[in-house]
Amino acid sequence: MKLLQTITLLTLLAATKLAFAADAVKGEVFYQAYCTQCHGVNGDGWGVNAATMDVLPKDHTETKEMITRTDEDIFKAIKEGGKAVSKSNLMPNWDANMTDEEIHDLVAYVRTICCEKEE
């Protein structure tokens, strides 16, 4: 009986994790809507606003730099703005525009453009 309860609990935990898994495809949509003006359509930091900024936006395609950032760092930068993670205060906070789930989707997308390149 205890084995059955354990299996049921593990199954529920696995299903819950899948339900909350971030969706990089949705994150790409959010990236195109909210991030490309500064970070560029390819995430290289050369959006249309970059030329007028004192500090260049983060190049999300720079794997060596981006792997030093945790998902929590990226989430916090998006949610609370660059100043919250000791980066540029030109990066606005998006917590009024996006839910936590949407921000997690965006983090998942940023991970694809920085860290899933073909070698």
Side-chain angles (χ1 to χ4, degrees), residues 45-98:
W46 289 103
V48 295
N49 294 342
T52 61
M53 300 174 86
D54 292 334
V55 178
L56 288 177
K58 176 71 63 196
D59 178 352
H60 293 146
T61 65
E62 182 61 43
T63 303
K64 287 182 181 177
E65 166 67 19
M66 292 302 293
I67 61 173
T68 66
R69 308 283 175 215
T70 65
D71 288 353
E72 291 77 21
D73 291 338
I74 298 169
F75 181 92
K76 188 171 184 176
I78 296 167
K79 183 172 177 126
E80 300 175 24
K83 192 173 180 180
V85 290
S86 302
K87 295 296 179 185
S88 173
N89 60 2
L90 296 175
M91 169 68 184
N93 59 308
W94 292 96
D95 59 338
N97 301 77
M98 303 178 74

mmCIF file of all heavy atoms in Angstrom, residues 45-98:
data_model
loop_
_atom_site.group_PDB
_atom_site.id
_atom_site.type_symbol
_atom_site.label_atom_id
_atom_site.label_comp_id
_atom_site.label_asym_id
_atom_site.label_seq_id
_atom_site.Cartn_x
_atom_site.Cartn_y
_atom_site.Cartn_z
ATOM 1 N N GLY A 45 21.831 42.433 -29.028
ATOM 2 C CA GLY A 45 22.037 43.718 -28.379
ATOM 3 C C GLY A 45 21.956 44.919 -29.305
ATOM 4 O O GLY A 45 22.187 46.045 -28.887
ATOM 5 N N TRP A 46 21.623 44.686 -30.549
ATOM 6 C CA TRP A 46 21.598 45.773 -31.523
ATOM 7 C C TRP A 46 20.187 46.043 -32.022
ATOM 8 O O TRP A 46 19.905 46.027 -33.215
ATOM 9 C CB TRP A 46 22.552 45.495 -32.686
ATOM 10 C CG TRP A 46 23.968 45.611 -32.258
ATOM 11 C CD1 TRP A 46 24.826 44.591 -32.005
ATOM 12 C CD2 TRP A 46 24.680 46.819 -31.981
ATOM 13 N NE1 TRP A 46 26.036 45.083 -31.579
ATOM 14 C CE2 TRP A 46 25.977 46.451 -31.559
ATOM 15 C CE3 TRP A 46 24.357 48.172 -32.023
ATOM 16 C CZ2 TRP A 46 26.943 47.394 -31.197
ATOM 17 C CZ3 TRP A 46 25.327 49.100 -31.660
ATOM 18 C CH2 TRP A 46 26.601 48.709 -31.264
ATOM 19 N N GLY A 47 19.305 46.359 -31.080
ATOM 20 C CA GLY A 47 17.953 46.757 -31.442
ATOM 21 C C GLY A 47 17.944 48.191 -31.929
ATOM 22 O O GLY A 47 18.960 48.903 -31.852
ATOM 23 N N VAL A 48 16.808 48.661 -32.390
ATOM 24 C CA VAL A 48 16.717 50.010 -32.949
ATOM 25 C C VAL A 48 17.022 51.084 -31.913
ATOM 26 O O VAL A 48 17.470 52.174 -32.269
ATOM 27 C CB VAL A 48 15.330 50.281 -33.586
ATOM 28 C CG1 VAL A 48 15.101 49.388 -34.797
ATOM 29 C CG2 VAL A 48 14.215 50.112 -32.574
ATOM 30 N N ASN A 49 16.817 50.811 -30.644
ATOM 31 C CA ASN A 49 17.101 51.795 -29.598
ATOM 32 C C ASN A 49 18.570 51.812 -29.171
ATOM 33 O O ASN A 49 19.007 52.753 -28.506
ATOM 34 C CB ASN A 49 16.247 51.515 -28.358
ATOM 35 C CG ASN A 49 14.771 51.717 -28.621
ATOM 36 O OD1 ASN A 49 14.381 52.359 -29.580
ATOM 37 N ND2 ASN A 49 13.932 51.147 -27.768
ATOM 38 N N ALA A 50 19.321 50.806 -29.520
ATOM 39 C CA ALA A 50 20.688 50.656 -29.023
ATOM 40 C C ALA A 50 21.583 51.840 -29.377
ATOM 41 O O ALA A 50 22.402 52.271 -28.558
ATOM 42 C CB ALA A 50 21.308 49.365 -29.538
ATOM 43 N N ALA A 51 21.418 52.385 -30.567
ATOM 44 C CA ALA A 51 22.291 53.474 -31.015
ATOM 45 C C ALA A 51 22.176 54.723 -30.146
ATOM 46 O O ALA A 51 23.108 55.519 -30.074
ATOM 47 C CB ALA A 51 21.983 53.819 -32.472
ATOM 48 N N THR A 52 21.053 54.905 -29.471
ATOM 49 C CA THR A 52 20.850 56.110 -28.663
ATOM 50 C C THR A 52 21.054 55.869 -27.172
ATOM 51 O O THR A 52 20.840 56.767 -26.367
ATOM 52 C CB THR A 52 19.432 56.670 -28.873
ATOM 53 O OG1 THR A 52 18.479 55.684 -28.458
ATOM 54 C CG2 THR A 52 19.204 57.036 -30.333
ATOM 55 N N MET A 53 21.506 54.682 -26.817
ATOM 56 C CA MET A 53 21.642 54.338 -25.394
ATOM 57 C C MET A 53 23.096 54.525 -24.941
ATOM 58 O O MET A 53 24.032 54.222 -25.680
ATOM 59 C CB MET A 53 21.187 52.895 -25.159
ATOM 60 C CG MET A 53 19.724 52.677 -25.564
ATOM 61 S SD MET A 53 19.193 50.970 -25.464
ATOM 62 C CE MET A 53 18.733 50.928 -23.738
ATOM 63 N N ASP A 54 23.266 55.022 -23.714
ATOM 64 C CA ASP A 54 24.608 55.200 -23.160
ATOM 65 C C ASP A 54 25.278 53.861 -22.864
ATOM 66 O O ASP A 54 26.493 53.735 -22.956
ATOM 67 C CB ASP A 54 24.537 56.019 -21.866
ATOM 68 C CG ASP A 54 24.120 57.451 -22.130
ATOM 69 O OD1 ASP A 54 24.354 57.952 -23.251
ATOM 70 O OD2 ASP A 54 23.554 58.070 -21.208
ATOM 71 N N VAL A 55 24.491 52.882 -22.482
ATOM 72 C CA VAL A 55 24.995 51.533 -22.204
ATOM 73 C C VAL A 55 24.325 50.586 -23.183
ATOM 74 O O VAL A 55 23.097 50.569 -23.294
ATOM 75 C CB VAL A 55 24.652 51.111 -20.749
ATOM 76 C CG1 VAL A 55 25.116 49.697 -20.477
ATOM 77 C CG2 VAL A 55 25.247 52.101 -19.751
ATOM 78 N N LEU A 56 25.130 49.817 -23.900
ATOM 79 C CA LEU A 56 24.544 48.894 -24.878
ATOM 80 C C LEU A 56 23.765 47.793 -24.164
ATOM 81 O O LEU A 56 24.193 47.293 -23.124
ATOM 82 C CB LEU A 56 25.630 48.260 -25.740
ATOM 83 C CG LEU A 56 26.281 49.180 -26.763
ATOM 84 C CD1 LEU A 56 27.389 48.430 -27.508
ATOM 85 C CD2 LEU A 56 25.250 49.712 -27.754
ATOM 86 N N PRO A 57 22.624 47.422 -24.723
ATOM 87 C CA PRO A 57 21.842 46.327 -24.135
ATOM 88 C C PRO A 57 22.638 45.022 -24.146
ATOM 89 O O PRO A 57 23.515 44.808 -24.984
ATOM 90 C CB PRO A 57 20.630 46.226 -25.058
ATOM 91 C CG PRO A 57 20.552 47.564 -25.722
ATOM 92 C CD PRO A 57 21.972 48.032 -25.858
ATOM 93 N N LYS A 58 22.304 44.139 -23.229
ATOM 94 C CA LYS A 58 22.971 42.839 -23.118
ATOM 95 C C LYS A 58 22.830 42.066 -24.427
ATOM 96 O O LYS A 58 21.763 42.019 -25.028
ATOM 97 C CB LYS A 58 22.352 42.048 -21.970
ATOM 98 C CG LYS A 58 22.863 40.659 -21.772
ATOM 99 C CD LYS A 58 24.266 40.601 -21.242
ATOM 100 C CE LYS A 58 24.358 41.219 -19.853
ATOM 101 N NZ LYS A 58 25.721 41.514 -19.455
ATOM 102 N N ASP A 59 23.933 41.466 -24.849
ATOM 103 C CA ASP A 59 23.939 40.557 -26.005
ATOM 104 C C ASP A 59 23.543 39.182 -25.487
ATOM 105 O O ASP A 59 24.345 38.495 -24.850
ATOM 106 C CB ASP A 59 25.333 40.535 -26.632
ATOM 107 C CG ASP A 59 25.439 39.578 -27.803
ATOM 108 O OD1 ASP A 59 24.481 38.811 -28.065
ATOM 109 O OD2 ASP A 59 26.500 39.585 -28.450
ATOM 110 N N HIS A 60 22.317 38.796 -25.739
ATOM 111 C CA HIS A 60 21.822 37.509 -25.237
ATOM 112 C C HIS A 60 22.381 36.320 -25.995
ATOM 113 O O HIS A 60 22.159 35.177 -25.605
ATOM 114 C CB HIS A 60 20.287 37.478 -25.269
ATOM 115 C CG HIS A 60 19.673 38.429 -24.303
ATOM 116 N ND1 HIS A 60 18.490 39.094 -24.543
ATOM 117 C CD2 HIS A 60 20.084 38.854 -23.074
ATOM 118 C CE1 HIS A 60 18.191 39.873 -23.515
ATOM 119 N NE2 HIS A 60 19.147 39.751 -22.617
ATOM 120 N N THR A 61 23.096 36.582 -27.086
ATOM 121 C CA THR A 61 23.688 35.478 -27.842
ATOM 122 C C THR A 61 25.109 35.162 -27.370
ATOM 123 O O THR A 61 25.726 34.232 -27.873
ATOM 124 C CB THR A 61 23.716 35.782 -29.355
ATOM 125 O OG1 THR A 61 24.595 36.890 -29.596
ATOM 126 C CG2 THR A 61 22.324 36.105 -29.878
ATOM 127 N N GLU A 62 25.619 35.954 -26.440
ATOM 128 C CA GLU A 62 26.984 35.780 -25.930
ATOM 129 C C GLU A 62 26.994 34.655 -24.886
ATOM 130 O O GLU A 62 26.791 34.891 -23.694
ATOM 131 C CB GLU A 62 27.494 37.092 -25.330
ATOM 132 C CG GLU A 62 28.909 37.028 -24.811
ATOM 133 C CD GLU A 62 29.923 36.689 -25.886
ATOM 134 O OE1 GLU A 62 29.839 37.226 -27.003
ATOM 135 O OE2 GLU A 62 30.800 35.856 -25.594
ATOM 136 N N THR A 63 27.256 33.475 -25.338
ATOM 137 C CA THR A 63 27.145 32.296 -24.488
ATOM 138 C C THR A 63 28.040 32.377 -23.252
ATOM 139 O O THR A 63 27.576 32.079 -22.144
ATOM 140 C CB THR A 63 27.488 31.024 -25.291
ATOM 141 O OG1 THR A 63 26.619 30.969 -26.419
ATOM 142 C CG2 THR A 63 27.302 29.781 -24.442
ATOM 143 N N LYS A 64 29.297 32.793 -23.423
ATOM 144 C CA LYS A 64 30.220 32.819 -22.272
ATOM 145 C C LYS A 64 29.703 33.716 -21.157
ATOM 146 O O LYS A 64 29.866 33.412 -19.977
ATOM 147 C CB LYS A 64 31.610 33.282 -22.719
ATOM 148 C CG LYS A 64 32.351 32.249 -23.499
ATOM 149 C CD LYS A 64 33.739 32.723 -23.869
ATOM 150 C CE LYS A 64 34.452 31.660 -24.682
ATOM 151 N NZ LYS A 64 35.782 32.099 -25.120
ATOM 152 N N GLU A 65 29.104 34.839 -21.497
ATOM 153 C CA GLU A 65 28.544 35.749 -20.502
ATOM 154 C C GLU A 65 27.233 35.202 -19.943
ATOM 155 O O GLU A 65 27.008 35.206 -18.735
ATOM 156 C CB GLU A 65 28.304 37.125 -21.134
ATOM 157 C CG GLU A 65 27.428 38.067 -20.317
ATOM 158 C CD GLU A 65 28.036 38.523 -19.002
ATOM 159 O OE1 GLU A 65 29.260 38.435 -18.836
ATOM 160 O OE2 GLU A 65 27.249 38.955 -18.133
ATOM 161 N N MET A 66 26.387 34.724 -20.816
ATOM 162 C CA MET A 66 25.045 34.324 -20.385
ATOM 163 C C MET A 66 25.046 33.075 -19.512
ATOM 164 O O MET A 66 24.172 32.926 -18.664
ATOM 165 C CB MET A 66 24.133 34.137 -21.603
ATOM 166 C CG MET A 66 23.813 35.435 -22.337
ATOM 167 S SD MET A 66 23.009 36.689 -21.308
ATOM 168 C CE MET A 66 21.438 35.909 -20.984
ATOM 169 N N ILE A 67 26.030 32.176 -19.692
ATOM 170 C CA ILE A 67 26.034 30.981 -18.845
ATOM 171 C C ILE A 67 26.437 31.310 -17.413
ATOM 172 O O ILE A 67 26.246 30.494 -16.520
ATOM 173 C CB ILE A 67 26.925 29.844 -19.409
ATOM 174 C CG1 ILE A 67 28.381 30.284 -19.519
ATOM 175 C CG2 ILE A 67 26.382 29.336 -20.727
ATOM 176 C CD1 ILE A 67 29.336 29.154 -19.903
ATOM 177 N N THR A 68 26.982 32.515 -17.201
ATOM 178 C CA THR A 68 27.306 32.913 -15.830
ATOM 179 C C THR A 68 26.075 33.432 -15.096
ATOM 180 O O THR A 68 26.125 33.642 -13.884
ATOM 181 C CB THR A 68 28.398 33.999 -15.800
ATOM 182 O OG1 THR A 68 27.888 35.203 -16.382
ATOM 183 C CG2 THR A 68 29.647 33.551 -16.532
ATOM 184 N N ARG A 69 25.005 33.676 -15.798
ATOM 185 C CA ARG A 69 23.752 34.166 -15.214
ATOM 186 C C ARG A 69 22.822 32.997 -14.938
ATOM 187 O O ARG A 69 22.611 32.153 -15.804
ATOM 188 C CB ARG A 69 23.048 35.141 -16.166
ATOM 189 C CG ARG A 69 23.912 36.254 -16.650
ATOM 190 C CD ARG A 69 24.065 37.306 -15.583
ATOM 191 N NE ARG A 69 25.011 38.313 -16.061
ATOM 192 C CZ ARG A 69 25.854 38.934 -15.279
ATOM 193 N NH1 ARG A 69 25.876 38.685 -13.996
ATOM 194 N NH2 ARG A 69 26.664 39.823 -15.763
ATOM 195 N N THR A 70 22.252 32.983 -13.751
ATOM 196 C CA THR A 70 21.278 31.941 -13.439
ATOM 197 C C THR A 70 19.924 32.339 -14.031
ATOM 198 O O THR A 70 19.686 33.508 -14.360
ATOM 199 C CB THR A 70 21.118 31.769 -11.921
ATOM 200 O OG1 THR A 70 20.548 32.973 -11.378
ATOM 201 C CG2 THR A 70 22.456 31.464 -11.257
ATOM 202 N N ASP A 71 19.044 31.360 -14.117
ATOM 203 C CA ASP A 71 17.681 31.664 -14.557
ATOM 204 C C ASP A 71 17.034 32.663 -13.601
ATOM 205 O O ASP A 71 16.281 33.537 -14.024
ATOM 206 C CB ASP A 71 16.832 30.393 -14.627
ATOM 207 C CG ASP A 71 17.212 29.505 -15.795
ATOM 208 O OD1 ASP A 71 18.047 29.916 -16.635
ATOM 209 O OD2 ASP A 71 16.667 28.383 -15.876
ATOM 210 N N GLU A 72 17.365 32.547 -12.320
ATOM 211 C CA GLU A 72 16.801 33.463 -11.323
ATOM 212 C C GLU A 72 17.297 34.893 -11.565
ATOM 213 O O GLU A 72 16.546 35.850 -11.405
ATOM 214 C CB GLU A 72 17.163 33.002 -9.906
ATOM 215 C CG GLU A 72 16.476 31.726 -9.477
ATOM 216 C CD GLU A 72 17.105 30.454 -10.084
ATOM 217 O OE1 GLU A 72 18.288 30.487 -10.510
ATOM 218 O OE2 GLU A 72 16.401 29.435 -10.160
ATOM 219 N N ASP A 73 18.577 35.044 -11.954
ATOM 220 C CA ASP A 73 19.115 36.374 -12.278
ATOM 221 C C ASP A 73 18.353 36.994 -13.451
ATOM 222 O O ASP A 73 17.989 38.176 -13.424
ATOM 223 C CB ASP A 73 20.591 36.298 -12.680
ATOM 224 C CG ASP A 73 21.519 35.938 -11.542
ATOM 225 O OD1 ASP A 73 21.151 36.128 -10.368
ATOM 226 O OD2 ASP A 73 22.633 35.461 -11.844
ATOM 227 N N ILE A 74 18.157 36.197 -14.498
ATOM 228 C CA ILE A 74 17.471 36.700 -15.697
ATOM 229 C C ILE A 74 16.026 37.037 -15.364
ATOM 230 O O ILE A 74 15.513 38.090 -15.762
ATOM 231 C CB ILE A 74 17.564 35.669 -16.841
ATOM 232 C CG1 ILE A 74 19.037 35.439 -17.220
ATOM 233 C CG2 ILE A 74 16.759 36.119 -18.049
ATOM 234 C CD1 ILE A 74 19.279 34.260 -18.140
ATOM 235 N N PHE A 75 15.372 36.156 -14.596
ATOM 236 C CA PHE A 75 13.985 36.393 -14.184
ATOM 237 C C PHE A 75 13.888 37.714 -13.418
ATOM 238 O O PHE A 75 13.020 38.547 -13.694
ATOM 239 C CB PHE A 75 13.484 35.232 -13.317
ATOM 240 C CG PHE A 75 12.068 35.383 -12.860
ATOM 241 C CD1 PHE A 75 11.031 34.838 -13.610
ATOM 242 C CD2 PHE A 75 11.756 36.059 -11.693
ATOM 243 C CE1 PHE A 75 9.712 34.978 -13.201
ATOM 244 C CE2 PHE A 75 10.446 36.209 -11.271
ATOM 245 C CZ PHE A 75 9.413 35.666 -12.026
ATOM 246 N N LYS A 76 14.790 37.914 -12.478
ATOM 247 C CA LYS A 76 14.760 39.121 -11.646
ATOM 248 C C LYS A 76 15.022 40.376 -12.493
ATOM 249 O O LYS A 76 14.374 41.409 -12.288
ATOM 250 C CB LYS A 76 15.790 39.014 -10.518
ATOM 251 C CG LYS A 76 15.689 40.119 -9.501
ATOM 252 C CD LYS A 76 16.591 39.842 -8.299
ATOM 253 C CE LYS A 76 16.402 40.922 -7.240
ATOM 254 N NZ LYS A 76 17.174 40.650 -6.041
ATOM 255 N N ALA A 77 15.950 40.288 -13.436
ATOM 256 C CA ALA A 77 16.239 41.435 -14.307
ATOM 257 C C ALA A 77 15.003 41.813 -15.117
ATOM 258 O O ALA A 77 14.706 43.000 -15.285
ATOM 259 C CB ALA A 77 17.410 41.111 -15.233
ATOM 260 N N ILE A 78 14.284 40.810 -15.602
ATOM 261 C CA ILE A 78 13.082 41.094 -16.391
ATOM 262 C C ILE A 78 11.975 41.628 -15.483
ATOM 263 O O ILE A 78 11.359 42.643 -15.780
ATOM 264 C CB ILE A 78 12.593 39.826 -17.124
ATOM 265 C CG1 ILE A 78 13.644 39.362 -18.136
ATOM 266 C CG2 ILE A 78 11.250 40.081 -17.812
ATOM 267 C CD1 ILE A 78 13.414 37.962 -18.682
ATOM 268 N N LYS A 79 11.761 40.979 -14.389
ATOM 269 C CA LYS A 79 10.647 41.351 -13.508
ATOM 270 C C LYS A 79 10.875 42.695 -12.811
ATOM 271 O O LYS A 79 9.983 43.528 -12.753
ATOM 272 C CB LYS A 79 10.416 40.266 -12.463
ATOM 273 C CG LYS A 79 9.219 40.566 -11.561
ATOM 274 C CD LYS A 79 8.880 39.410 -10.656
ATOM 275 C CE LYS A 79 7.728 39.790 -9.745
ATOM 276 N NZ LYS A 79 6.641 38.876 -9.807
ATOM 277 N N GLU A 80 12.092 42.895 -12.289
ATOM 278 C CA GLU A 80 12.347 44.076 -11.457
ATOM 279 C C GLU A 80 13.212 45.146 -12.128
ATOM 280 O O GLU A 80 13.441 46.193 -11.559
ATOM 281 C CB GLU A 80 13.001 43.638 -10.146
ATOM 282 C CG GLU A 80 12.122 42.682 -9.353
ATOM 283 C CD GLU A 80 12.806 42.152 -8.105
ATOM 284 O OE1 GLU A 80 13.736 42.802 -7.590
ATOM 285 O OE2 GLU A 80 12.410 41.073 -7.650
ATOM 286 N N GLY A 81 13.754 44.826 -13.305
ATOM 287 C CA GLY A 81 14.586 45.786 -14.015
ATOM 288 C C GLY A 81 16.066 45.551 -13.775
ATOM 289 O O GLY A 81 16.457 44.825 -12.860
ATOM 290 N N GLY A 82 16.893 46.177 -14.608
ATOM 291 C CA GLY A 82 18.331 45.966 -14.541
ATOM 292 C C GLY A 82 18.965 46.374 -13.225
ATOM 293 O O GLY A 82 19.904 45.737 -12.750
ATOM 294 N N LYS A 83 18.462 47.429 -12.619
ATOM 295 C CA LYS A 83 19.035 47.906 -11.365
ATOM 296 C C LYS A 83 18.924 46.852 -10.262
ATOM 297 O O LYS A 83 19.789 46.776 -9.388
ATOM 298 C CB LYS A 83 18.331 49.190 -10.942
ATOM 299 C CG LYS A 83 19.012 49.933 -9.841
ATOM 300 C CD LYS A 83 18.351 51.276 -9.599
ATOM 301 C CE LYS A 83 19.064 52.011 -8.476
ATOM 302 N NZ LYS A 83 18.448 53.308 -8.218
ATOM 303 N N ALA A 84 17.909 46.013 -10.323
ATOM 304 C CA ALA A 84 17.692 44.982 -9.304
ATOM 305 C C ALA A 84 18.800 43.926 -9.299
ATOM 306 O O ALA A 84 18.990 43.228 -8.300
ATOM 307 C CB ALA A 84 16.339 44.307 -9.506
ATOM 308 N N VAL A 85 19.516 43.816 -10.434
ATOM 309 C CA VAL A 85 20.601 42.840 -10.522
ATOM 310 C C VAL A 85 21.938 43.545 -10.775
ATOM 311 O O VAL A 85 22.850 42.978 -11.380
ATOM 312 C CB VAL A 85 20.320 41.778 -11.609
ATOM 313 C CG1 VAL A 85 19.185 40.859 -11.202
ATOM 314 C CG2 VAL A 85 20.048 42.435 -12.948
ATOM 315 N N SER A 86 22.009 44.784 -10.321
ATOM 316 C CA SER A 86 23.224 45.593 -10.447
ATOM 317 C C SER A 86 23.658 45.794 -11.894
ATOM 318 O O SER A 86 24.857 45.830 -12.200
ATOM 319 C CB SER A 86 24.364 44.978 -9.631
ATOM 320 O OG SER A 86 23.996 44.871 -8.284
ATOM 321 N N LYS A 87 22.682 45.921 -12.777
ATOM 322 C CA LYS A 87 22.964 46.206 -14.192
ATOM 323 C C LYS A 87 22.318 47.540 -14.542
ATOM 324 O O LYS A 87 21.792 48.239 -13.681
ATOM 325 C CB LYS A 87 22.428 45.063 -15.076
ATOM 326 C CG LYS A 87 23.118 43.741 -14.841
ATOM 327 C CD LYS A 87 24.572 43.821 -15.226
ATOM 328 C CE LYS A 87 25.299 42.518 -14.981
ATOM 329 N NZ LYS A 87 26.726 42.622 -15.241
ATOM 330 N N SER A 88 22.300 47.863 -15.794
ATOM 331 C CA SER A 88 21.830 49.161 -16.250
ATOM 332 C C SER A 88 20.396 49.459 -15.785
ATOM 333 O O SER A 88 19.506 48.620 -15.897
ATOM 334 C CB SER A 88 21.880 49.213 -17.781
ATOM 335 O OG SER A 88 21.287 50.406 -18.235
ATOM 336 N N ASN A 89 20.219 50.703 -15.323
ATOM 337 C CA ASN A 89 18.862 51.110 -14.959
ATOM 338 C C ASN A 89 18.033 51.455 -16.195
ATOM 339 O O ASN A 89 16.857 51.801 -16.080
ATOM 340 C CB ASN A 89 18.885 52.269 -13.959
ATOM 341 C CG ASN A 89 19.579 53.491 -14.520
ATOM 342 O OD1 ASN A 89 20.015 53.496 -15.669
ATOM 343 N ND2 ASN A 89 19.694 54.527 -13.711
ATOM 344 N N LEU A 90 18.624 51.344 -17.375
ATOM 345 C CA LEU A 90 17.867 51.526 -18.613
ATOM 346 C C LEU A 90 16.979 50.325 -18.907
ATOM 347 O O LEU A 90 16.016 50.430 -19.661
ATOM 348 C CB LEU A 90 18.815 51.765 -19.792
ATOM 349 C CG LEU A 90 19.650 53.049 -19.715
ATOM 350 C CD1 LEU A 90 20.629 53.113 -20.881
ATOM 351 C CD2 LEU A 90 18.751 54.272 -19.686
ATOM 352 N N MET A 91 17.322 49.173 -18.300
ATOM 353 C CA MET A 91 16.469 47.984 -18.445
ATOM 354 C C MET A 91 15.270 48.171 -17.519
ATOM 355 O O MET A 91 15.420 48.199 -16.298
ATOM 356 C CB MET A 91 17.264 46.732 -18.053
ATOM 357 C CG MET A 91 16.440 45.468 -17.896
ATOM 358 S SD MET A 91 15.766 44.853 -19.438
ATOM 359 C CE MET A 91 14.795 43.481 -18.820
ATOM 360 N N PRO A 92 14.065 48.329 -18.112
ATOM 361 C CA PRO A 92 12.882 48.562 -17.274
ATOM 362 C C PRO A 92 12.398 47.289 -16.586
ATOM 363 O O PRO A 92 12.754 46.184 -16.987
ATOM 364 C CB PRO A 92 11.845 49.054 -18.286
ATOM 365 C CG PRO A 92 12.228 48.390 -19.566
ATOM 366 C CD PRO A 92 13.738 48.291 -19.540
ATOM 367 N N ASN A 93 11.587 47.471 -15.571
ATOM 368 C CA ASN A 93 10.918 46.317 -14.953
ATOM 369 C C ASN A 93 9.633 46.027 -15.739
ATOM 370 O O ASN A 93 8.952 46.945 -16.182
ATOM 371 C CB ASN A 93 10.601 46.598 -13.484
ATOM 372 C CG ASN A 93 9.710 47.801 -13.316
ATOM 373 O OD1 ASN A 93 10.018 48.859 -13.854
ATOM 374 N ND2 ASN A 93 8.626 47.654 -12.599
ATOM 375 N N TRP A 94 9.376 44.737 -15.910
ATOM 376 C CA TRP A 94 8.228 44.325 -16.718
ATOM 377 C C TRP A 94 7.146 43.667 -15.879
ATOM 378 O O TRP A 94 6.211 43.077 -16.414
ATOM 379 C CB TRP A 94 8.684 43.369 -17.829
ATOM 380 C CG TRP A 94 9.521 44.073 -18.849
ATOM 381 C CD1 TRP A 94 10.881 44.121 -18.899
ATOM 382 C CD2 TRP A 94 9.057 44.882 -19.934
ATOM 383 N NE1 TRP A 94 11.292 44.900 -19.956
ATOM 384 C CE2 TRP A 94 10.188 45.372 -20.616
ATOM 385 C CE3 TRP A 94 7.795 45.224 -20.401
ATOM 386 C CZ2 TRP A 94 10.092 46.196 -21.725
ATOM 387 C CZ3 TRP A 94 7.698 46.049 -21.524
ATOM 388 C CH2 TRP A 94 8.842 46.529 -22.177
ATOM 389 N N ASP A 95 7.253 43.794 -14.570
ATOM 390 C CA ASP A 95 6.285 43.109 -13.715
ATOM 391 C C ASP A 95 4.863 43.624 -13.871
ATOM 392 O O ASP A 95 3.919 42.897 -13.578
ATOM 393 C CB ASP A 95 6.727 43.161 -12.250
ATOM 394 C CG ASP A 95 6.901 44.566 -11.718
ATOM 395 O OD1 ASP A 95 7.098 45.498 -12.524
ATOM 396 O OD2 ASP A 95 6.830 44.732 -10.491
ATOM 397 N N ALA A 96 4.684 44.831 -14.344
ATOM 398 C CA ALA A 96 3.327 45.340 -14.557
ATOM 399 C C ALA A 96 2.745 44.860 -15.881
ATOM 400 O O ALA A 96 1.541 44.928 -16.094
ATOM 401 C CB ALA A 96 3.325 46.867 -14.515
ATOM 402 N N ASN A 97 3.616 44.371 -16.775
ATOM 403 C CA ASN A 97 3.169 43.956 -18.100
ATOM 404 C C ASN A 97 3.107 42.451 -18.286
ATOM 405 O O ASN A 97 2.434 41.973 -19.197
ATOM 406 C CB ASN A 97 4.121 44.515 -19.175
ATOM 407 C CG ASN A 97 4.190 46.015 -19.138
ATOM 408 O OD1 ASN A 97 4.844 46.571 -18.266
ATOM 409 N ND2 ASN A 97 3.502 46.659 -20.042
ATOM 410 N N MET A 98 3.850 41.715 -17.462
ATOM 411 C CA MET A 98 3.956 40.276 -17.664
ATOM 412 C C MET A 98 3.708 39.538 -16.351
ATOM 413 O O MET A 98 4.101 40.007 -15.286
ATOM 414 C CB MET A 98 5.354 39.908 -18.188
ATOM 415 C CG MET A 98 5.729 40.604 -19.477
ATOM 416 S SD MET A 98 7.399 40.184 -20.017
ATOM 417 C CE MET A 98 7.107 38.515 -20.594
#
